[in-house]
Amino acid sequence: MLKRDTLRPFPAITLVIGENGGQRRVNSVHQVAELLLEHWPVEHGEDYVAAVRICLEAMLGAVPPEAVREALIKAAREAGISVLQ
């Protein structure tokens, strides 16, 4: 069962995704999960896989939403995506 705190916001981060420099702002576990699963330009790499796993763990209440934020930043660095905080 999904926990309610997955909707709880964490400090927002903005990622610059795509060659046209489009920006995507996220501040919740659900937004990060959607970004990783539907809009991520590179679907491989250890940090990407870890970020997806941490999203799932946060949805189950096993890790805090802030852990998702940190995992996303690592995955973005791995994929060469600029992160604006």
Side-chain angles (χ1 to χ4, degrees), residues 1-6 30 55-56 58-61:
M1 183 149 172
L2 299 181
K3 301 285 185 177
R4 287 271 175 222
D5 67 354
T6 59
H30 283 285
C55 273
L56 293 173
M59 288 180 187
L60 295 172

Side-chain angles (χ1 to χ4, degrees), residues 2-8 10 27-35 55 59 68:
L2 299 181
K3 301 285 185 177
R4 287 271 175 222
D5 67 354
T6 59
L7 298 174
R8 194 177 82 217
F10 51 74
N27 74 335
S28 74
V29 174
H30 283 285
Q31 289 175 349
V32 172
E34 178 188 346
L35 175 63
C55 273
M59 288 180 187
V68 173

Side-chain angles (χ1 to χ4, degrees), residues 8-54:
R8 194 177 82 217
F10 51 74
I13 54 176
T14 301
L15 299 115
V16 180
I17 297 179
E19 294 174 14
N20 62 357
Q23 295 186 355
R24 181 117 183 176
R25 183 176 169 90
V26 294
N27 74 335
S28 74
V29 174
H30 283 285
Q31 289 175 349
V32 172
E34 178 188 346
L35 175 63
L36 289 170
L37 297 175
E38 297 180 21
H39 305 287
W40 204 249
V42 186
E43 293 184 0
H44 55 78
E46 289 182 27
D47 291 329
Y48 169 80
V49 172
V52 171
R53 188 186 74 247
I54 290 169

